[in-house]
Coordinates of all heavy atoms in Angstrom, one line a residue:
M23 N 91.9 88.1 113.8 CA 92.9 88.9 112.9 C 92.6 90.3 113.0 O 91.5 90.8 112.8 CB 92.8 88.4 111.5 CG 93.7 89.1 110.5 SD 93.6 88.6 108.8 CE 92.6 87.2 108.7
Q24 N 93.7 91.1 113.2 CA 93.6 92.6 113.3 C 93.5 93.1 111.9 O 94.3 92.8 111.0 CB 94.7 93.2 114.0 CG 94.7 94.7 114.1 CD 95.9 95.2 114.8 OE1 96.7 94.5 115.4 NE2 96.2 96.5 114.8
H25 N 92.6 94.0 111.6 CA 92.5 94.7 110.3 C 93.4 95.9 110.3 O 93.6 96.6 111.2 CB 91.0 95.0 110.0 CG 90.2 93.8 109.9 ND1 90.3 93.0 108.7 CD2 89.3 93.3 110.6 CE1 89.4 92.0 108.9 NE2 88.8 92.1 110.1
S26 N 94.0 96.1 109.1 CA 94.9 97.2 108.9 C 94.1 98.5 108.5 O 93.0 98.4 108.0 CB 95.9 96.8 107.8 OG 96.6 95.7 108.2
A27 N 94.8 99.5 108.7 CA 94.2 100.9 108.4 C 94.4 101.3 106.9 O 94.0 102.3 106.5 CB 94.7 102.0 109.3
H28 N 95.2 100.6 106.2 CA 95.5 101.0 104.8 C 94.4 100.7 103.9 O 93.4 100.0 104.3 CB 96.8 100.2 104.3 CG 96.5 98.7 104.1 ND1 95.9 98.2 103.0 CD2 96.7 97.7 105.0 CE1 95.8 96.9 103.2 NE2 96.3 96.5 104.3
T29 N 94.5 101.3 102.7 CA 93.4 101.0 101.7 C 93.6 99.6 101.1 O 94.7 99.2 100.7 CB 93.6 102.0 100.5 OG1 93.5 103.4 101.1 CG2 92.4 101.8 99.5
P30 N 92.6 98.8 101.2 CA 92.7 97.4 100.8 C 92.9 97.4 99.2 O 92.5 98.3 98.5 CB 91.4 96.7 101.2 CG 90.4 97.9 101.3 CD 91.2 99.1 101.8
G31 N 93.4 96.3 98.8 CA 93.5 96.1 97.3 C 92.3 95.7 96.6 O 91.2 95.7 97.3
P32 N 92.2 95.5 95.4 CA 93.5 95.4 94.5 C 93.9 96.8 94.1 O 93.1 97.6 93.8 CB 93.1 94.5 93.4 CG 91.5 94.8 93.2 CD 91.1 95.0 94.6
W33 N 95.2 97.1 94.1 CA 95.7 98.3 93.7 C 96.2 98.1 92.2 O 96.6 97.0 91.8 CB 97.0 98.7 94.5 CG 96.6 99.2 95.9 CD1 95.3 99.1 96.4 CD2 97.5 99.7 96.8 NE1 95.4 99.6 97.7 CE2 96.8 99.9 98.0 CE3 98.8 99.9 96.9 CZ2 97.3 100.4 99.1 CZ3 99.4 100.4 98.0 CH2 98.7 100.7 99.1
Q34 N 96.1 99.1 91.4 CA 96.4 99.0 90.0 C 97.6 99.8 89.6 O 97.8 100.8 90.2 CB 95.2 99.4 89.1 CG 94.0 98.5 89.1 CD 92.9 99.2 90.0 OE1 92.8 100.3 90.2 NE2 92.0 98.3 90.5
I35 N 98.4 99.3 88.6 CA 99.4 100.1 88.0 C 99.0 100.6 86.7 O 98.5 99.9 85.8 CB 100.7 99.2 87.9 CG1 101.1 98.6 89.2 CG2 101.8 99.9 87.3 CD1 102.1 97.5 89.1
E36 N 99.3 101.9 86.5 CA 98.9 102.5 85.2 C 100.1 103.5 84.8 O 100.7 104.1 85.6 CB 97.6 103.4 85.4 CG 96.4 102.5 85.7 CD 95.1 103.3 85.9 OE1 95.1 104.5 85.6 OE2 94.1 102.8 86.4
P37 N 100.2 103.6 83.5 CA 101.2 104.7 83.1 C 100.8 106.0 83.5 O 99.6 106.4 83.6 CB 101.1 104.5 81.5 CG 100.5 103.3 81.2 CD 99.6 103.0 82.4
W38 N 101.9 106.8 83.9 CA 101.6 108.2 84.3 C 102.7 109.1 83.8 O 103.8 108.7 83.8 CB 101.6 108.2 85.8 CG 101.0 109.4 86.4 CD1 99.8 110.0 86.1 CD2 101.6 110.2 87.4 NE1 99.6 111.1 87.0 CE2 100.7 111.2 87.7 CE3 102.8 110.2 88.1 CZ2 101.0 112.3 88.7 CZ3 103.1 111.1 89.1 CH2 102.2 112.2 89.3
R39 N 102.3 110.2 83.2 CA 103.3 111.1 82.7 C 103.6 112.2 83.7 O 102.8 113.0 84.1 CB 102.7 111.8 81.4 CG 103.6 112.7 80.8 CD 104.5 112.0 79.8 NE 105.4 113.0 79.2 CZ 106.6 112.7 78.7 NH1 107.0 111.5 78.8 NH2 107.3 113.6 78.2
A40 N 104.9 112.1 84.1 CA 105.3 113.1 85.2 C 106.2 114.2 84.4 O 106.5 114.0 83.2 CB 106.2 112.4 86.2
S41 N 106.5 115.2 85.1 CA 107.3 116.3 84.5 C 108.7 115.9 84.0 O 109.2 116.4 83.1 CB 107.4 117.5 85.4 OG 108.0 117.1 86.6
W42 N 109.1 114.8 84.8 CA 110.5 114.3 84.4 C 110.4 113.2 83.4 O 111.5 112.6 83.1 CB 111.2 113.8 85.6 CG 110.5 112.8 86.5 CD1 110.6 111.4 86.2 CD2 109.6 113.0 87.5 NE1 109.8 110.8 87.1 CE2 109.2 111.8 87.9 CE3 109.1 114.1 88.2 CZ2 108.2 111.6 89.0 CZ3 108.2 113.9 89.2 CH2 107.8 112.7 89.6
G43 N 109.3 112.7 83.0 CA 109.2 111.7 81.9 C 108.1 110.6 82.3 O 107.4 110.8 83.3
P44 N 108.0 109.6 81.4 CA 107.1 108.5 81.7 C 107.4 107.7 83.0 O 108.6 107.4 83.3 CB 107.1 107.7 80.5 CG 108.4 108.0 79.8 CD 108.9 109.4 80.3
T45 N 106.4 107.5 83.8 CA 106.6 106.7 85.0 C 105.3 105.8 85.2 O 104.4 105.7 84.3 CB 106.6 107.6 86.2 OG1 105.4 108.4 86.3 CG2 107.8 108.6 86.2
L46 N 105.3 105.1 86.2 CA 104.1 104.2 86.6 C 103.5 104.7 87.9 O 104.2 105.1 88.8 CB 104.6 102.8 86.8 CG 105.2 102.1 85.5 CD1 105.9 100.8 85.9 CD2 104.1 101.9 84.5
A47 N 102.2 104.8 87.9 CA 101.5 105.2 89.1 C 100.8 104.0 89.7 O 100.2 103.2 88.9 CB 100.5 106.4 88.8
V48 N 100.8 103.9 91.0 CA 100.1 102.8 91.7 C 98.8 103.5 92.3 O 99.0 104.4 93.1 CB 101.0 102.1 92.8 CG1 100.2 101.0 93.5 CG2 102.3 101.6 92.2
Y49 N 97.7 103.0 92.0 CA 96.4 103.5 92.4 C 95.7 102.6 93.3 O 95.7 101.3 93.1 CB 95.5 103.9 91.2 CG 96.0 105.0 90.4 CD1 96.7 104.9 89.3 CD2 95.6 106.3 90.8 CE1 97.0 105.9 88.4 CE2 96.0 107.4 90.1 CZ 96.7 107.2 88.9 OH 97.1 108.3 88.1
P50 N 95.0 103.1 94.4 CA 94.1 102.2 95.2 C 92.8 101.9 94.3 O 92.7 102.4 93.2 CB 93.8 103.1 96.4 CG 94.0 104.4 95.9 CD 95.1 104.4 94.9
P51 N 92.0 101.1 94.8 CA 90.7 100.8 94.1 C 90.0 102.1 93.6 O 90.2 103.2 94.3 CB 89.9 100.0 95.0 CG 90.9 99.3 95.9 CD 92.0 100.3 96.1
A52 N 89.3 102.0 92.5 CA 88.6 103.3 92.1 C 87.7 103.9 93.0 O 87.0 103.2 93.8 CB 87.9 102.9 90.7
F53 N 87.7 105.2 93.1 CA 86.7 105.9 93.9 C 85.4 106.2 93.2 O 85.4 106.1 91.9 CB 87.3 107.3 94.2 CG 88.4 107.2 95.3 CD1 89.8 107.0 94.8 CD2 88.3 107.4 96.6 CE1 90.8 106.9 95.7 CE2 89.3 107.2 97.5 CZ 90.6 107.1 97.0
P54 N 84.3 106.4 93.9 CA 83.1 106.6 93.2 C 83.0 107.7 92.1 O 82.5 107.5 91.1 CB 82.1 106.9 94.3 CG 82.8 106.5 95.6 CD 84.2 106.5 95.3
R55 N 83.7 108.8 92.4 CA 83.7 109.9 91.5 C 84.9 109.8 90.6 O 86.0 109.6 91.0 CB 83.8 111.3 92.3 CG 82.5 111.8 92.7 CD 82.5 113.2 93.1 NE 83.9 113.8 93.2 CZ 84.5 114.1 94.3 NH1 83.9 114.0 95.5 NH2 85.6 114.7 94.3
E56 N 84.7 110.0 89.3 CA 85.8 109.9 88.3 C 86.6 111.2 88.6 O 86.2 112.3 88.9 CB 85.2 110.0 86.9 CG 86.1 109.6 85.9 CD 86.7 108.1 86.1 OE1 86.0 107.2 86.6 OE2 87.9 108.0 85.8
G57 N 88.0 111.0 88.5 CA 88.9 112.2 88.7 C 89.3 112.4 90.1 O 90.1 113.2 90.5
S58 N 88.7 111.5 91.1 CA 89.1 111.7 92.4 C 90.3 110.8 92.9 O 90.7 110.7 94.0 CB 88.0 111.5 93.4 OG 87.5 110.2 93.3
R59 N 90.8 110.0 91.9 CA 91.9 109.0 92.3 C 93.2 109.8 92.4 O 93.5 110.6 91.6 CB 91.9 108.0 91.2 CG 90.8 107.1 91.2 CD 90.8 106.1 90.1 NE 92.2 105.5 90.0 CZ 92.5 104.6 89.2 NH1 91.7 104.2 88.3 NH2 93.8 104.1 89.1
V60 N 93.9 109.4 93.4 CA 95.3 110.0 93.7 C 96.2 108.8 93.8 O 95.9 107.8 94.6 CB 95.3 110.9 94.9 CG1 96.7 111.3 95.3 CG2 94.3 112.0 94.8
P61 N 97.3 108.8 93.1 CA 98.2 107.6 93.2 C 98.8 107.5 94.7 O 99.0 108.5 95.3 CB 99.2 107.8 92.2 CG 99.2 109.3 91.9 CD 97.9 109.7 92.2
V62 N 99.0 106.3 95.1 CA 99.7 106.0 96.4 C 101.2 106.1 96.2 O 101.9 106.2 97.2 CB 99.2 104.7 97.1 CG1 97.8 104.7 97.4 CG2 99.6 103.5 96.2
A63 N 101.6 105.9 95.0 CA 103.1 105.9 94.7 C 103.3 106.2 93.2 O 102.4 105.8 92.4 CB 103.7 104.6 95.0
V64 N 104.3 106.8 92.9 CA 104.8 107.0 91.5 C 106.2 106.5 91.4 O 107.0 106.8 92.1 CB 104.8 108.5 91.1 CG1 105.3 108.7 89.7 CG2 103.4 109.0 91.3
E65 N 106.4 105.5 90.5 CA 107.6 104.8 90.4 C 108.2 104.8 89.0 O 107.5 104.8 88.0 CB 107.4 103.4 90.8 CG 107.4 103.1 92.3 CD 108.8 103.3 92.8 OE1 109.8 103.1 92.2 OE2 108.9 103.7 94.0
L66 N 109.5 104.9 88.9 CA 110.2 104.7 87.6 C 110.3 103.3 87.3 O 110.4 102.8 86.2 CB 111.6 105.4 87.6 CG 111.6 106.9 87.8 CD1 113.0 107.5 87.9 CD2 110.9 107.6 86.5
S67 N 110.5 102.4 88.3 CA 110.8 101.0 88.2 C 109.5 100.2 88.2 O 108.7 100.3 89.1 CB 111.7 100.6 89.4 OG 111.7 99.2 89.5
A68 N 109.4 99.4 87.2 CA 108.1 98.5 87.1 C 108.2 97.5 88.3 O 107.1 97.2 88.9 CB 108.1 97.8 85.8
A69 N 109.3 97.0 88.7 CA 109.4 96.1 89.7 C 109.0 96.7 91.1 O 108.3 96.0 91.8 CB 110.9 95.6 89.9
N70 N 109.4 97.9 91.3 CA 108.9 98.6 92.5 C 107.4 98.8 92.5 O 106.7 98.6 93.6 CB 109.6 99.9 92.7 CG 111.1 99.7 93.1 OD1 111.5 98.7 93.6 ND2 111.8 100.8 93.0
A71 N 106.9 99.2 91.4 CA 105.4 99.5 91.3 C 104.7 98.2 91.5 O 103.7 98.1 92.2 CB 105.1 100.1 89.9
Q72 N 105.2 97.0 91.0 CA 104.5 95.8 91.2 C 104.5 95.3 92.6 O 103.5 94.8 93.2 CB 105.1 94.7 90.3 CG 104.9 95.0 88.8 CD 105.8 94.2 87.9 OE1 106.8 93.7 88.3 NE2 105.4 94.1 86.6
L73 N 105.7 95.6 93.3 CA 105.8 95.2 94.7 C 104.8 96.1 95.5 O 104.1 95.5 96.5 CB 107.2 95.4 95.1 CG 107.5 95.0 96.6 CD1 107.2 93.5 96.9 CD2 109.0 95.3 96.9
I74 N 104.8 97.4 95.3 CA 103.8 98.3 96.1 C 102.4 97.8 95.9 O 101.6 97.8 96.8 CB 104.1 99.7 95.6 CG1 105.5 100.2 96.1 CG2 103.0 100.6 96.2 CD1 105.9 101.5 95.4
S75 N 102.0 97.5 94.6 CA 100.6 97.2 94.3 C 100.3 95.8 95.0 O 99.1 95.6 95.3 CB 100.4 97.1 92.8 OG 101.0 96.0 92.2
A76 N 101.3 95.0 95.2 CA 101.0 93.7 95.8 C 101.0 93.7 97.3 O 100.6 92.7 98.0 CB 102.0 92.6 95.3
A77 N 101.5 94.8 97.9 CA 101.6 94.9 99.3 C 100.4 94.6 100.2 O 100.4 93.8 101.2 CB 102.3 96.2 99.7
P78 N 99.2 95.2 99.8 CA 98.0 94.8 100.7 C 97.7 93.4 100.6 O 97.3 92.8 101.6 CB 96.9 95.7 100.0 CG 97.6 96.8 99.3 CD 98.9 96.2 98.8
D79 N 97.8 92.8 99.4 CA 97.5 91.3 99.4 C 98.6 90.5 100.2 O 98.2 89.5 100.9 CB 97.6 90.8 97.9 CG 96.6 91.5 97.1 OD1 95.5 91.8 97.6 OD2 96.8 91.8 95.9
M80 N 99.8 90.8 100.2 CA 100.8 90.1 100.9 C 100.6 90.3 102.4 O 100.7 89.3 103.1 CB 102.2 90.6 100.5 CG 102.6 90.2 99.1 SD 104.3 90.4 98.6 CE 104.4 92.2 98.7
L81 N 100.3 91.5 102.8 CA 99.9 91.7 104.3 C 98.8 90.8 104.7 O 98.8 90.1 105.8 CB 99.7 93.2 104.6 CG 99.3 93.5 105.9 CD1 100.3 93.1 106.9 CD2 98.9 95.0 106.1
R82 N 97.8 90.8 103.9 CA 96.6 89.9 104.2 C 97.0 88.4 104.4 O 96.5 87.8 105.2 CB 95.5 90.1 103.2 CG 94.2 89.5 103.6 CD 93.1 89.8 102.6 NE 93.5 89.2 101.3 CZ 92.7 89.0 100.2 NH1 91.5 89.4 100.4 NH2 93.1 88.4 99.2
V83 N 97.8 88.0 103.5 CA 98.3 86.6 103.5 C 99.0 86.3 104.8 O 98.9 85.3 105.5 CB 99.1 86.2 102.3 CG1 99.8 84.9 102.5 CG2 98.2 86.2 101.1
L84 N 100.0 87.2 105.1 CA 100.7 87.1 106.4 C 99.9 87.1 107.6 O 100.1 86.3 108.5 CB 101.8 88.2 106.4 CG 102.9 88.1 105.4 CD1 103.9 89.3 105.5 CD2 103.8 86.8 105.6
E85 N 98.9 88.0 107.6 CA 98.0 88.0 108.8 C 97.2 86.7 108.9 O 97.0 86.2 110.0 CB 97.0 89.2 108.6 CG 97.7 90.5 108.8 CD 96.8 91.7 108.5 OE1 95.9 91.6 107.7 OE2 97.1 92.8 109.1
F86 N 96.8 86.1 107.8 CA 96.1 84.9 107.7 C 97.0 83.7 108.3 O 96.6 82.9 109.1 CB 95.6 84.6 106.3 CG 95.1 83.1 106.2 CD1 93.8 82.8 106.6 CD2 95.9 82.1 105.7 CE1 93.3 81.5 106.5 CE2 95.5 80.8 105.6 CZ 94.2 80.5 105.9
L87 N 98.2 83.7 107.8 CA 99.2 82.7 108.2 C 99.4 82.8 109.7 O 99.4 81.7 110.4 CB 100.5 82.8 107.5 CG 100.6 82.4 106.0 CD1 101.9 82.8 105.4 CD2 100.3 80.9 105.8
L88 N 99.6 83.9 110.2 CA 99.8 84.1 111.6 C 98.6 83.7 112.5 O 98.8 83.0 113.5 CB 100.3 85.5 112.0 CG 100.9 85.7 113.3 CD1 102.2 84.9 113.4 CD2 101.2 87.2 113.5
S89 N 97.4 84.1 112.0 CA 96.3 83.8 112.8 C 95.8 82.4 112.7 O 95.4 81.8 113.7 CB 95.1 84.8 112.5 OG 94.7 84.6 111.2
D90 N 95.8 81.8 111.6 CA 95.3 80.4 111.3 C 96.4 79.4 111.5 O 96.0 78.3 111.9 CB 94.7 80.3 110.0 CG 93.4 81.1 109.9 OD1 93.0 81.8 110.8 OD2 92.8 81.0 108.8
L91 N 97.6 79.6 111.3 CA 98.6 78.6 111.5 C 99.6 78.8 112.6 O 100.6 78.2 112.7 CB 99.4 78.5 110.1 CG 98.5 78.2 108.9 CD1 99.4 78.2 107.6 CD2 97.8 76.9 109.0
N92 N 99.3 79.8 113.4 CA 100.3 80.2 114.5 C 100.8 79.0 115.3 O 102.0 78.9 115.6 CB 99.8 81.3 115.3 CG 100.8 81.9 116.2 OD1 102.0 82.0 115.8 ND2 100.4 82.4 117.4
S93 N 99.9 78.1 115.6 CA 100.3 77.0 116.5 C 101.2 76.0 115.8 O 101.9 75.2 116.4 CB 99.1 76.3 117.0 OG 98.4 75.8 116.0
T94 N 101.2 76.0 114.5 CA 102.0 75.0 113.7 C 103.3 75.6 113.2 O 104.1 74.9 112.6 CB 101.2 74.4 112.6 OG1 100.9 75.5 111.7 CG2 100.0 73.7 113.1
L95 N 103.5 76.9 113.3 CA 104.7 77.6 112.8 C 105.8 77.5 113.8 O 105.7 77.5 115.0 CB 104.4 79.1 112.6 CG 103.4 79.5 111.5 CD1 103.1 81.0 111.6 CD2 103.9 79.1 110.1
D96 N 107.0 77.2 113.3 CA 108.2 77.2 114.2 C 108.5 78.7 114.6 O 108.0 79.6 114.0 CB 109.4 76.6 113.5 CG 109.9 77.4 112.4 OD1 110.7 78.4 112.5 OD2 109.5 77.0 111.2
A97 N 109.2 78.8 115.8 CA 109.4 80.1 116.3 C 110.0 81.1 115.4 O 109.7 82.3 115.4 CB 110.2 80.0 117.6
E98 N 111.0 80.7 114.7 CA 111.7 81.6 113.8 C 110.8 82.1 112.6 O 110.8 83.3 112.3 CB 112.9 80.9 113.1 CG 113.7 81.8 112.2 CD 115.0 81.2 111.6 OE1 115.2 79.9 111.9 OE2 115.6 81.8 110.9
T99 N 110.0 81.2 112.0 CA 109.1 81.6 111.0 C 108.0 82.5 111.6 O 107.7 83.6 110.9 CB 108.3 80.4 110.4 OG1 109.4 79.5 109.9 CG2 107.4 80.7 109.3
A100 N 107.5 82.3 112.7 CA 106.5 83.2 113.3 C 107.1 84.6 113.6 O 106.5 85.5 113.3 CB 106.0 82.6 114.6
L101 N 108.3 84.6 114.0 CA 109.0 85.8 114.3 C 109.3 86.7 113.0 O 109.0 87.9 113.0 CB 110.4 85.6 115.0 CG 111.1 86.8 115.5 CD1 110.3 87.5 116.6 CD2 112.5 86.4 116.1
I102 N 109.6 86.0 111.9 CA 109.7 86.7 110.6 C 108.4 87.3 110.1 O 108.4 88.4 109.7 CB 110.4 85.7 109.6 CG1 111.8 85.4 110.0 CG2 110.3 86.2 108.2 CD1 112.4 84.2 109.2
I103 N 107.4 86.5 110.2 CA 106.1 86.9 109.8 C 105.6 88.1 110.7 O 105.1 89.1 110.2 CB 105.0 85.8 109.8 CG1 105.3 84.7 108.8 CG2 103.6 86.2 109.7 CD1 104.5 83.5 108.9
K104 N 105.7 88.0 112.0 CA 105.4 89.2 112.9 C 106.1 90.4 112.5 O 105.6 91.5 112.6 CB 105.6 88.7 114.3 CG 104.5 87.7 114.8 CD 104.9 87.4 116.3 CE 104.0 86.3 116.8 NZ 104.3 85.8 118.1
G105 N 107.4 90.2 112.3 CA 108.2 91.4 111.9 C 107.8 92.1 110.6 O 107.8 93.3 110.6
A106 N 107.4 91.3 109.6 CA 106.9 91.8 108.3 C 105.6 92.5 108.5 O 105.4 93.6 108.0 CB 106.8 90.7 107.3
I107 N 104.7 91.9 109.3 CA 103.4 92.6 109.6 C 103.6 93.9 110.3 O 103.0 94.9 110.0 CB 102.5 91.6 110.4 CG1 102.1 90.4 109.5 CG2 101.3 92.3 111.0 CD1 101.4 89.3 110.2
N108 N 104.5 93.9 111.4 CA 104.7 95.1 112.1 C 105.4 96.2 111.2 O 105.0 97.3 111.4 CB 105.6 94.8 113.3 CG 104.9 94.0 114.4 OD1 103.6 94.1 114.5 ND2 105.7 93.4 115.3
K109 N 106.2 95.8 110.4 CA 106.8 96.8 109.4 C 105.8 97.4 108.5 O 105.7 98.6 108.3 CB 107.9 96.1 108.6 CG 108.7 97.0 107.7 CD 109.9 96.3 107.1 CE 110.7 97.3 106.3 NZ 111.9 96.6 105.7
A110 N 104.8 96.6 108.1 CA 103.9 97.0 107.2 C 102.9 98.0 107.9 O 102.3 98.9 107.4 CB 103.0 95.8 106.6
R111 N 102.7 97.8 109.3 CA 101.7 98.5 110.0 C 102.4 99.8 110.6 O 101.8 100.6 111.3 CB 101.2 97.7 111.2 CG 100.2 96.7 110.7 CD 99.7 95.9 111.9 NE 98.7 94.9 111.6 CZ 98.5 93.8 112.2 NH1 99.1 93.6 113.5 NH2 97.6 92.9 111.8
G112 N 103.8 99.8 110.4 CA 104.5 101.0 111.0 C 104.8 100.9 112.5 O 105.0 101.9 113.1
V113 N 104.8 99.7 112.9 CA 105.1 99.5 114.4 C 106.6 99.3 114.6 O 107.3 98.7 113.9 CB 104.3 98.2 114.9 CG1 104.7 97.9 116.3 CG2 102.9 98.4 114.6

């Protein structure tokens, strides 16, 4: 299985006060030094923030499915999984 260059999860969602009002910030795992955290995304929508925070876990599951079950997947399913993985990797 190829490892991704993104920051692995778990990512957390926390309230964040922006100049335009209350929002949600998506943070990667805590850094060693306090105050060094930078959000990977700032969202008005809770649904978008939840999807962004789940992305590393979903990519890991898709990579697992493709590598461990590839021989048992039908061609269409394998193509859909490969497409999602490539999109996540920016390919």
Side-chain angles (χ1 to χ4, degrees):
M23 175 180 357
Q24 179 182 350
H25 293 288
S26 300
H28 68 83
T29 304
W33 291 3
Q34 293 105 20
I35 301 170
E36 297 177 11
W38 194 52
R39 180 89 180 148
S41 59
W42 60 86
T45 59
L46 296 168
V48 181
Y49 289 98
F53 288 88
R55 273 195 351 250
E56 202 52 42
S58 63
R59 290 177 47 183
V60 176
V62 295
V64 176
E65 277 293 329
L66 295 172
S67 163
N70 286 346
Q72 291 163 344
L73 184 60
I74 292 166
S75 71
D79 298 324
M80 291 189 294
L81 177 58
R82 191 175 64 166
V83 168
L84 290 173
E85 290 171 335
F86 170 81
L87 288 173
L88 195 61
S89 67
D90 287 5
L91 303 176
N92 193 28
S93 62
T94 62
L95 296 172
D96 63 84
E98 183 180 359
T99 301
L101 189 63
I102 291 169
I103 291 173
K104 287 176 187 176
I107 291 170
N108 287 339
K109 187 174 184 179
R111 291 181 180 157
V113 175

